[in-house]
Amino acid sequence: MGESLIPLFCVAEVSAETLSSIIETAYAGSPDSPPSIIVLCEPASLTNLKTAQPSRPPVTNLSSYPFLSHSIQDLATFLDSNSGPAISSHQFLIADKQTNENHSVLFVDRGYEPGQTPETVRLDAEHANAVPVAVQVATMGTNEVRAQVDEDGVFRGGASRPAVRKGQPTPRKTLGGGDSG
């Protein structure tokens, strides 16, 4: 795989069932992207970061939460010190209190320039794999995604529109940004 795995940290107590559901939905929602999420919410997942593999559902029962209440900066510092080429230190996901409510995750894009301010956007589970991969390979930008969040601040495929799926008709293009009703 050419891209690095996207770490997913739990900064709140999110159940193994919820994480499994998110990963399953994320992989099903991105048939054209390889599975790229690695759950880093339990000590066992932290031991072999240099040769890591993507997480697959079901996520095993979580016995501890080593990143409970950690900030984005704390997580970035951890990645800078511990990740190798297999794990992205520039983009990562966060499962937090809101994850328990609506199965969304916070996507963090640190960029590639030293000292760059991290950009964040909340992703629905369906986009938790495809969007980070697209940002990582520069086919999409975090600002583009943020510009298309729904009223509640969660990206679900763009301004309340369902995501286009491979093998389905493409939505009509309109001039001037209006809908073609």
Short mmCIF file of all heavy atoms in Angstrom, two decimals, residues 4-9 18-31 33-39 55 91-95 99 102-108 121-136 140 145 154-157 163 165:
data_model
loop_
_atom_site.label_atom_id
_atom_site.label_comp_id
_atom_site.label_asym_id
_atom_site.label_seq_id
_atom_site.Cartn_x
_atom_site.Cartn_y
_atom_site.Cartn_z
N SER A 4 0.05 5.83 3.93
CA SER A 4 0.21 5.42 5.32
C SER A 4 -1.15 5.17 5.93
O SER A 4 -2.16 5.73 5.49
CB SER A 4 0.92 6.52 6.11
OG SER A 4 2.20 6.78 5.57
N LEU A 5 -1.19 4.35 6.98
CA LEU A 5 -2.44 4.11 7.70
C LEU A 5 -2.83 5.36 8.47
O LEU A 5 -1.98 6.12 8.93
CB LEU A 5 -2.27 2.94 8.66
CG LEU A 5 -1.98 1.59 8.02
CD1 LEU A 5 -1.73 0.53 9.10
CD2 LEU A 5 -3.12 1.16 7.11
N ILE A 6 -4.14 5.56 8.61
CA ILE A 6 -4.68 6.71 9.32
C ILE A 6 -5.01 6.29 10.75
O ILE A 6 -5.92 5.47 10.95
CB ILE A 6 -5.95 7.25 8.62
CG1 ILE A 6 -5.70 7.54 7.14
CG2 ILE A 6 -6.49 8.48 9.36
CD1 ILE A 6 -4.71 8.63 6.84
N PRO A 7 -4.29 6.82 11.75
CA PRO A 7 -4.59 6.43 13.13
C PRO A 7 -5.92 6.99 13.61
O PRO A 7 -6.31 8.10 13.25
CB PRO A 7 -3.45 7.02 13.95
CG PRO A 7 -2.65 7.86 13.04
CD PRO A 7 -3.16 7.71 11.65
N LEU A 8 -6.62 6.21 14.41
CA LEU A 8 -7.86 6.63 15.06
C LEU A 8 -7.63 6.51 16.56
O LEU A 8 -7.36 5.42 17.07
CB LEU A 8 -9.04 5.75 14.65
CG LEU A 8 -10.34 6.09 15.38
CD1 LEU A 8 -11.29 6.84 14.45
CD2 LEU A 8 -11.01 4.83 15.86
N PHE A 9 -7.69 7.64 17.25
CA PHE A 9 -7.49 7.70 18.69
C PHE A 9 -8.82 7.87 19.41
O PHE A 9 -9.67 8.61 18.94
CB PHE A 9 -6.63 8.92 19.08
CG PHE A 9 -5.23 8.88 18.56
CD1 PHE A 9 -4.87 9.58 17.41
CD2 PHE A 9 -4.24 8.19 19.25
CE1 PHE A 9 -3.56 9.57 16.95
CE2 PHE A 9 -2.93 8.17 18.79
CZ PHE A 9 -2.59 8.86 17.64
N THR A 18 -19.18 0.44 18.87
CA THR A 18 -19.28 1.68 18.10
C THR A 18 -18.11 1.80 17.14
O THR A 18 -18.30 2.13 15.96
CB THR A 18 -19.33 2.90 19.04
OG1 THR A 18 -20.51 2.81 19.85
CG2 THR A 18 -19.35 4.21 18.28
N LEU A 19 -16.90 1.50 17.61
CA LEU A 19 -15.73 1.57 16.74
C LEU A 19 -15.84 0.56 15.60
O LEU A 19 -15.51 0.87 14.45
CB LEU A 19 -14.45 1.33 17.54
CG LEU A 19 -14.07 2.43 18.52
CD1 LEU A 19 -12.88 2.01 19.37
CD2 LEU A 19 -13.79 3.73 17.81
N SER A 20 -16.31 -0.64 15.90
CA SER A 20 -16.50 -1.66 14.86
C SER A 20 -17.49 -1.17 13.81
O SER A 20 -17.26 -1.33 12.60
CB SER A 20 -16.99 -2.97 15.47
OG SER A 20 -16.00 -3.54 16.28
N SER A 21 -18.58 -0.59 14.25
CA SER A 21 -19.59 -0.08 13.34
C SER A 21 -19.02 1.03 12.45
O SER A 21 -19.28 1.07 11.24
CB SER A 21 -20.79 0.44 14.13
OG SER A 21 -21.72 1.06 13.27
N ILE A 22 -18.24 1.93 13.04
CA ILE A 22 -17.64 3.02 12.29
C ILE A 22 -16.69 2.48 11.22
O ILE A 22 -16.74 2.88 10.05
CB ILE A 22 -16.91 4.01 13.23
CG1 ILE A 22 -17.95 4.79 14.05
CG2 ILE A 22 -15.99 4.94 12.46
CD1 ILE A 22 -17.37 5.58 15.20
N ILE A 23 -15.83 1.55 11.60
CA ILE A 23 -14.87 0.99 10.65
C ILE A 23 -15.57 0.23 9.53
O ILE A 23 -15.26 0.40 8.35
CB ILE A 23 -13.83 0.11 11.37
CG1 ILE A 23 -12.95 0.99 12.25
CG2 ILE A 23 -12.98 -0.67 10.38
CD1 ILE A 23 -12.05 0.22 13.19
N GLU A 24 -16.55 -0.57 9.89
CA GLU A 24 -17.30 -1.32 8.89
C GLU A 24 -17.99 -0.37 7.91
O GLU A 24 -17.93 -0.56 6.68
CB GLU A 24 -18.33 -2.21 9.58
CG GLU A 24 -19.04 -3.15 8.65
CD GLU A 24 -19.93 -4.14 9.39
OE1 GLU A 24 -19.65 -4.46 10.56
OE2 GLU A 24 -20.91 -4.59 8.79
N THR A 25 -18.62 0.67 8.43
CA THR A 25 -19.31 1.66 7.59
C THR A 25 -18.31 2.44 6.74
O THR A 25 -18.56 2.70 5.55
CB THR A 25 -20.12 2.63 8.47
OG1 THR A 25 -21.05 1.87 9.25
CG2 THR A 25 -20.87 3.66 7.64
N ALA A 26 -17.17 2.78 7.31
CA ALA A 26 -16.14 3.54 6.59
C ALA A 26 -15.60 2.75 5.41
O ALA A 26 -15.45 3.29 4.31
CB ALA A 26 -15.00 3.93 7.53
N TYR A 27 -15.30 1.48 5.62
CA TYR A 27 -14.76 0.66 4.54
C TYR A 27 -15.82 0.39 3.47
O TYR A 27 -15.53 0.40 2.27
CB TYR A 27 -14.18 -0.64 5.07
CG TYR A 27 -12.94 -0.47 5.93
CD1 TYR A 27 -12.49 -1.50 6.74
CD2 TYR A 27 -12.21 0.72 5.97
CE1 TYR A 27 -11.35 -1.36 7.53
CE2 TYR A 27 -11.09 0.88 6.76
CZ TYR A 27 -10.65 -0.17 7.54
OH TYR A 27 -9.54 -0.03 8.32
N ALA A 28 -17.06 0.16 3.88
CA ALA A 28 -18.15 -0.05 2.92
C ALA A 28 -18.42 1.23 2.12
O ALA A 28 -18.78 1.16 0.94
CB ALA A 28 -19.42 -0.49 3.63
N GLY A 29 -18.21 2.39 2.74
CA GLY A 29 -18.46 3.67 2.09
C GLY A 29 -17.35 4.13 1.17
O GLY A 29 -17.47 5.17 0.53
N SER A 30 -16.25 3.38 1.11
CA SER A 30 -15.15 3.77 0.24
C SER A 30 -14.61 2.58 -0.53
O SER A 30 -13.48 2.15 -0.33
CB SER A 30 -14.04 4.43 1.06
OG SER A 30 -13.53 3.57 2.05
N PRO A 31 -15.43 2.04 -1.45
CA PRO A 31 -15.01 0.84 -2.17
C PRO A 31 -13.79 1.05 -3.06
O PRO A 31 -13.12 0.08 -3.42
CB PRO A 31 -16.24 0.47 -3.01
CG PRO A 31 -16.98 1.75 -3.15
CD PRO A 31 -16.73 2.52 -1.88
N SER A 33 -11.14 2.92 -2.16
CA SER A 33 -9.98 3.21 -1.31
C SER A 33 -9.64 1.99 -0.48
O SER A 33 -10.54 1.31 0.02
CB SER A 33 -10.28 4.38 -0.35
OG SER A 33 -10.61 5.54 -1.07
N PRO A 34 -8.35 1.70 -0.30
CA PRO A 34 -7.99 0.55 0.54
C PRO A 34 -8.32 0.81 2.01
O PRO A 34 -8.32 1.98 2.43
CB PRO A 34 -6.48 0.43 0.34
CG PRO A 34 -6.04 1.82 0.00
CD PRO A 34 -7.18 2.42 -0.79
N PRO A 35 -8.62 -0.21 2.79
CA PRO A 35 -8.81 -0.01 4.23
C PRO A 35 -7.56 0.64 4.80
O PRO A 35 -6.44 0.15 4.59
CB PRO A 35 -9.01 -1.42 4.77
CG PRO A 35 -9.52 -2.20 3.59
CD PRO A 35 -8.82 -1.60 2.40
N SER A 36 -7.73 1.76 5.50
CA SER A 36 -6.57 2.55 5.93
C SER A 36 -6.62 3.01 7.37
O SER A 36 -5.77 3.78 7.80
CB SER A 36 -6.43 3.78 5.03
OG SER A 36 -6.26 3.38 3.69
N ILE A 37 -7.63 2.60 8.13
CA ILE A 37 -7.77 3.07 9.52
C ILE A 37 -7.10 2.08 10.46
O ILE A 37 -7.30 0.87 10.34
CB ILE A 37 -9.25 3.23 9.90
CG1 ILE A 37 -9.93 4.26 8.99
CG2 ILE A 37 -9.39 3.62 11.37
CD1 ILE A 37 -11.44 4.31 9.14
N ILE A 38 -6.33 2.59 11.41
CA ILE A 38 -5.77 1.75 12.46
C ILE A 38 -6.19 2.34 13.80
O ILE A 38 -5.93 3.50 14.10
CB ILE A 38 -4.24 1.59 12.37
CG1 ILE A 38 -3.74 0.69 13.48
CG2 ILE A 38 -3.53 2.93 12.34
CD1 ILE A 38 -2.33 0.19 13.32
N VAL A 39 -6.92 1.54 14.57
CA VAL A 39 -7.41 1.98 15.88
C VAL A 39 -6.26 1.93 16.88
O VAL A 39 -5.65 0.88 17.08
CB VAL A 39 -8.58 1.09 16.35
CG1 VAL A 39 -9.05 1.50 17.74
CG2 VAL A 39 -9.73 1.15 15.36
N SER A 55 -6.99 -1.77 10.82
CA SER A 55 -7.93 -2.42 11.74
C SER A 55 -9.11 -2.95 10.94
O SER A 55 -9.54 -2.35 9.95
CB SER A 55 -8.43 -1.42 12.78
OG SER A 55 -7.37 -0.97 13.58
N GLN A 91 -2.08 13.12 9.23
CA GLN A 91 -3.53 13.06 9.30
C GLN A 91 -3.93 11.98 10.30
O GLN A 91 -3.31 10.91 10.33
CB GLN A 91 -4.15 12.72 7.94
CG GLN A 91 -4.02 13.79 6.89
CD GLN A 91 -2.76 13.69 6.08
OE1 GLN A 91 -2.12 12.65 6.00
NE2 GLN A 91 -2.36 14.79 5.47
N PHE A 92 -4.96 12.27 11.11
CA PHE A 92 -5.47 11.26 12.02
C PHE A 92 -6.92 11.54 12.36
O PHE A 92 -7.46 12.61 12.04
CB PHE A 92 -4.61 11.11 13.28
CG PHE A 92 -4.39 12.37 14.09
CD1 PHE A 92 -5.23 12.69 15.15
CD2 PHE A 92 -3.31 13.20 13.83
CE1 PHE A 92 -5.00 13.83 15.92
CE2 PHE A 92 -3.08 14.34 14.60
CZ PHE A 92 -3.92 14.65 15.64
N LEU A 93 -7.56 10.54 12.96
CA LEU A 93 -8.97 10.62 13.35
C LEU A 93 -9.07 10.57 14.87
O LEU A 93 -8.24 9.92 15.52
CB LEU A 93 -9.75 9.44 12.76
CG LEU A 93 -9.79 9.37 11.23
CD1 LEU A 93 -10.27 8.00 10.77
CD2 LEU A 93 -10.66 10.47 10.67
N ILE A 94 -10.12 11.20 15.40
CA ILE A 94 -10.36 11.20 16.83
C ILE A 94 -11.80 10.75 17.09
O ILE A 94 -12.74 11.30 16.53
CB ILE A 94 -10.15 12.60 17.45
CG1 ILE A 94 -8.68 13.03 17.28
CG2 ILE A 94 -10.57 12.63 18.91
CD1 ILE A 94 -8.39 14.45 17.75
N ALA A 95 -11.93 9.74 17.95
CA ALA A 95 -13.24 9.32 18.45
C ALA A 95 -13.41 10.00 19.80
O ALA A 95 -12.58 9.83 20.70
CB ALA A 95 -13.31 7.80 18.58
N THR A 99 -18.73 11.13 19.02
CA THR A 99 -18.71 9.84 18.32
C THR A 99 -19.76 8.92 18.92
O THR A 99 -20.45 8.19 18.19
CB THR A 99 -17.31 9.20 18.41
OG1 THR A 99 -16.36 10.11 17.86
CG2 THR A 99 -17.25 7.87 17.69
N ASN A 102 -23.34 10.23 17.48
CA ASN A 102 -23.77 10.13 16.08
C ASN A 102 -22.81 9.36 15.17
O ASN A 102 -22.94 9.43 13.95
CB ASN A 102 -24.00 11.54 15.50
CG ASN A 102 -22.74 12.38 15.46
OD1 ASN A 102 -21.63 11.91 15.71
ND2 ASN A 102 -22.90 13.66 15.14
N HIS A 103 -21.88 8.63 15.73
CA HIS A 103 -20.92 7.81 14.99
C HIS A 103 -20.06 8.61 14.01
O HIS A 103 -19.59 8.08 13.00
CB HIS A 103 -21.61 6.66 14.25
CG HIS A 103 -22.05 5.57 15.17
ND1 HIS A 103 -22.18 4.28 14.77
CD2 HIS A 103 -22.38 5.56 16.48
CE1 HIS A 103 -22.58 3.54 15.78
NE2 HIS A 103 -22.72 4.30 16.82
N SER A 104 -19.83 9.89 14.32
CA SER A 104 -18.92 10.69 13.52
C SER A 104 -17.56 10.72 14.22
O SER A 104 -17.45 10.40 15.40
CB SER A 104 -19.46 12.12 13.36
OG SER A 104 -19.44 12.80 14.61
N VAL A 105 -16.53 11.05 13.45
CA VAL A 105 -15.18 11.19 14.00
C VAL A 105 -14.61 12.53 13.56
O VAL A 105 -15.01 13.08 12.53
CB VAL A 105 -14.24 10.04 13.56
CG1 VAL A 105 -14.66 8.72 14.18
CG2 VAL A 105 -14.18 9.92 12.05
N LEU A 106 -13.68 13.05 14.34
CA LEU A 106 -13.01 14.29 14.00
C LEU A 106 -11.77 13.96 13.18
O LEU A 106 -10.92 13.18 13.62
CB LEU A 106 -12.62 15.07 15.26
CG LEU A 106 -12.04 16.45 15.02
CD1 LEU A 106 -13.09 17.39 14.41
CD2 LEU A 106 -11.50 17.03 16.32
N PHE A 107 -11.67 14.52 11.98
CA PHE A 107 -10.50 14.34 11.14
C PHE A 107 -9.57 15.51 11.36
O PHE A 107 -9.98 16.67 11.32
CB PHE A 107 -10.91 14.27 9.66
CG PHE A 107 -9.76 14.25 8.70
CD1 PHE A 107 -8.79 13.26 8.76
CD2 PHE A 107 -9.65 15.23 7.73
CE1 PHE A 107 -7.72 13.24 7.86
CE2 PHE A 107 -8.59 15.22 6.83
CZ PHE A 107 -7.63 14.23 6.90
N VAL A 108 -8.29 15.22 11.60
CA VAL A 108 -7.27 16.24 11.82
C VAL A 108 -6.25 16.14 10.71
O VAL A 108 -5.67 15.08 10.48
CB VAL A 108 -6.58 16.06 13.19
CG1 VAL A 108 -5.50 17.12 13.40
CG2 VAL A 108 -7.59 16.09 14.33
N VAL A 121 -12.16 18.70 10.60
CA VAL A 121 -13.52 18.61 10.09
C VAL A 121 -14.11 17.31 10.62
O VAL A 121 -13.42 16.31 10.74
CB VAL A 121 -13.57 18.68 8.54
CG1 VAL A 121 -12.85 17.51 7.90
CG2 VAL A 121 -15.00 18.79 8.03
N ARG A 122 -15.37 17.35 10.99
CA ARG A 122 -16.04 16.16 11.51
C ARG A 122 -16.62 15.38 10.33
O ARG A 122 -17.27 15.93 9.45
CB ARG A 122 -17.16 16.55 12.48
CG ARG A 122 -17.75 15.35 13.17
CD ARG A 122 -18.40 15.70 14.49
NE ARG A 122 -17.46 16.00 15.52
CZ ARG A 122 -16.81 15.10 16.27
NH1 ARG A 122 -17.00 13.83 16.07
NH2 ARG A 122 -15.98 15.48 17.19
N LEU A 123 -16.33 14.05 10.33
CA LEU A 123 -16.76 13.17 9.25
C LEU A 123 -17.77 12.15 9.73
O LEU A 123 -17.59 11.54 10.79
CB LEU A 123 -15.56 12.39 8.69
CG LEU A 123 -14.36 13.18 8.19
CD1 LEU A 123 -13.23 12.24 7.82
CD2 LEU A 123 -14.74 14.07 7.02
N ASP A 124 -18.82 11.94 8.95
CA ASP A 124 -19.72 10.83 9.19
C ASP A 124 -18.92 9.54 8.99
O ASP A 124 -17.96 9.50 8.22
CB ASP A 124 -20.87 10.90 8.19
CG ASP A 124 -21.91 9.83 8.42
OD1 ASP A 124 -22.56 9.86 9.46
OD2 ASP A 124 -22.03 8.96 7.52
N ALA A 125 -19.32 8.48 9.66
CA ALA A 125 -18.58 7.21 9.59
C ALA A 125 -18.37 6.75 8.15
O ALA A 125 -17.32 6.21 7.81
CB ALA A 125 -19.32 6.13 10.38
N GLU A 126 -19.32 6.99 7.29
CA GLU A 126 -19.23 6.55 5.89
C GLU A 126 -18.02 7.15 5.17
O GLU A 126 -17.50 6.56 4.23
CB GLU A 126 -20.52 6.91 5.14
CG GLU A 126 -20.54 6.41 3.73
CD GLU A 126 -21.87 6.69 3.04
OE1 GLU A 126 -22.75 7.34 3.64
OE2 GLU A 126 -22.01 6.25 1.89
N HIS A 127 -17.55 8.29 5.62
CA HIS A 127 -16.46 9.00 4.96
C HIS A 127 -15.15 8.97 5.75
O HIS A 127 -14.18 9.61 5.37
CB HIS A 127 -16.88 10.44 4.67
CG HIS A 127 -18.08 10.50 3.80
ND1 HIS A 127 -18.03 10.31 2.44
CD2 HIS A 127 -19.39 10.68 4.11
CE1 HIS A 127 -19.25 10.38 1.94
NE2 HIS A 127 -20.10 10.60 2.94
N ALA A 128 -15.12 8.21 6.84
CA ALA A 128 -13.96 8.18 7.72
C ALA A 128 -12.74 7.51 7.11
O ALA A 128 -11.62 7.69 7.59
CB ALA A 128 -14.31 7.51 9.05
N ASN A 129 -12.90 6.75 6.06
CA ASN A 129 -11.76 6.14 5.36
C ASN A 129 -11.43 6.92 4.09
O ASN A 129 -10.28 7.29 3.87
CB ASN A 129 -12.05 4.68 5.03
CG ASN A 129 -10.83 3.94 4.51
OD1 ASN A 129 -9.84 3.80 5.21
ND2 ASN A 129 -10.89 3.47 3.27
N ALA A 130 -12.42 7.20 3.26
CA ALA A 130 -12.18 7.80 1.95
C ALA A 130 -11.62 9.22 2.04
O ALA A 130 -10.69 9.56 1.29
CB ALA A 130 -13.46 7.80 1.13
N VAL A 131 -12.16 10.05 2.92
CA VAL A 131 -11.70 11.44 2.98
C VAL A 131 -10.24 11.54 3.45
O VAL A 131 -9.43 12.21 2.80
CB VAL A 131 -12.64 12.31 3.85
CG1 VAL A 131 -12.02 13.67 4.16
CG2 VAL A 131 -13.98 12.50 3.14
N PRO A 132 -9.85 10.88 4.55
CA PRO A 132 -8.43 10.97 4.93
C PRO A 132 -7.48 10.45 3.84
O PRO A 132 -6.42 11.03 3.62
CB PRO A 132 -8.34 10.10 6.19
CG PRO A 132 -9.71 10.17 6.77
CD PRO A 132 -10.63 10.19 5.58
N VAL A 133 -7.86 9.38 3.16
CA VAL A 133 -7.02 8.87 2.08
C VAL A 133 -6.93 9.90 0.96
O VAL A 133 -5.84 10.17 0.43
CB VAL A 133 -7.55 7.51 1.55
CG1 VAL A 133 -6.84 7.11 0.26
CG2 VAL A 133 -7.38 6.43 2.61
N ALA A 134 -8.06 10.50 0.59
CA ALA A 134 -8.06 11.51 -0.48
C ALA A 134 -7.21 12.72 -0.10
O ALA A 134 -6.48 13.26 -0.95
CB ALA A 134 -9.49 11.93 -0.80
N VAL A 135 -7.28 13.15 1.14
CA VAL A 135 -6.46 14.28 1.58
C VAL A 135 -4.99 13.87 1.58
O VAL A 135 -4.12 14.64 1.14
CB VAL A 135 -6.90 14.77 2.98
CG1 VAL A 135 -5.90 15.77 3.56
CG2 VAL A 135 -8.30 15.40 2.91
N GLN A 136 -4.71 12.67 2.01
CA GLN A 136 -3.33 12.18 2.07
C GLN A 136 -2.67 12.14 0.69
O GLN A 136 -1.50 12.47 0.55
CB GLN A 136 -3.31 10.80 2.71
CG GLN A 136 -1.95 10.28 3.07
CD GLN A 136 -2.03 8.95 3.77
OE1 GLN A 136 -2.48 7.98 3.18
NE2 GLN A 136 -1.61 8.91 5.03
N MET A 140 -8.04 15.78 -2.63
CA MET A 140 -9.06 16.56 -1.94
C MET A 140 -8.35 17.33 -0.83
O MET A 140 -7.37 16.87 -0.28
CB MET A 140 -10.10 15.60 -1.37
CG MET A 140 -11.24 16.25 -0.62
SD MET A 140 -12.37 15.00 0.06
CE MET A 140 -13.24 14.50 -1.40
N VAL A 145 -13.60 19.85 2.02
CA VAL A 145 -14.52 19.02 2.80
C VAL A 145 -15.29 19.90 3.78
O VAL A 145 -16.52 19.80 3.90
CB VAL A 145 -13.74 17.91 3.55
CG1 VAL A 145 -14.69 17.08 4.41
CG2 VAL A 145 -13.00 17.02 2.57
N VAL A 154 -21.22 18.21 10.32
CA VAL A 154 -20.68 16.89 9.97
C VAL A 154 -20.69 16.75 8.45
O VAL A 154 -21.69 17.04 7.79
CB VAL A 154 -21.50 15.75 10.62
CG1 VAL A 154 -20.96 14.39 10.19
CG2 VAL A 154 -21.49 15.87 12.13
N PHE A 155 -19.57 16.30 7.88
CA PHE A 155 -19.49 16.04 6.45
C PHE A 155 -20.12 14.68 6.17
O PHE A 155 -19.71 13.67 6.71
CB PHE A 155 -18.03 16.05 5.97
CG PHE A 155 -17.87 15.69 4.53
CD1 PHE A 155 -18.12 16.63 3.54
CD2 PHE A 155 -17.50 14.42 4.14
CE1 PHE A 155 -17.98 16.30 2.19
CE2 PHE A 155 -17.35 14.08 2.80
CZ PHE A 155 -17.60 15.03 1.82
N ARG A 156 -21.13 14.68 5.31
CA ARG A 156 -21.83 13.45 4.93
C ARG A 156 -21.82 13.24 3.43
O ARG A 156 -22.66 12.52 2.91
CB ARG A 156 -23.27 13.49 5.43
CG ARG A 156 -23.39 13.44 6.94
CD ARG A 156 -24.85 13.37 7.39
NE ARG A 156 -24.91 13.24 8.81
CZ ARG A 156 -24.84 14.25 9.67
NH1 ARG A 156 -24.72 15.49 9.22
NH2 ARG A 156 -24.88 14.04 10.97
N GLY A 157 -20.92 13.87 2.73
CA GLY A 157 -20.85 13.70 1.29
C GLY A 157 -21.10 14.99 0.54
O GLY A 157 -21.06 15.02 -0.68
N ALA A 163 -23.58 10.66 -1.19
CA ALA A 163 -22.34 10.44 -1.92
C ALA A 163 -22.61 9.64 -3.19
O ALA A 163 -23.48 8.79 -3.22
CB ALA A 163 -21.34 9.69 -1.05
N ARG A 165 -21.87 6.83 -5.68
CA ARG A 165 -21.30 5.49 -5.55
C ARG A 165 -20.86 4.98 -6.92
O ARG A 165 -21.50 5.26 -7.93
CB ARG A 165 -22.33 4.52 -4.98
CG ARG A 165 -22.72 4.86 -3.59
CD ARG A 165 -21.68 4.24 -2.66
NE ARG A 165 -22.00 4.59 -1.32
CZ ARG A 165 -21.29 5.44 -0.61
NH1 ARG A 165 -20.23 5.99 -1.09
NH2 ARG A 165 -21.64 5.71 0.61
#
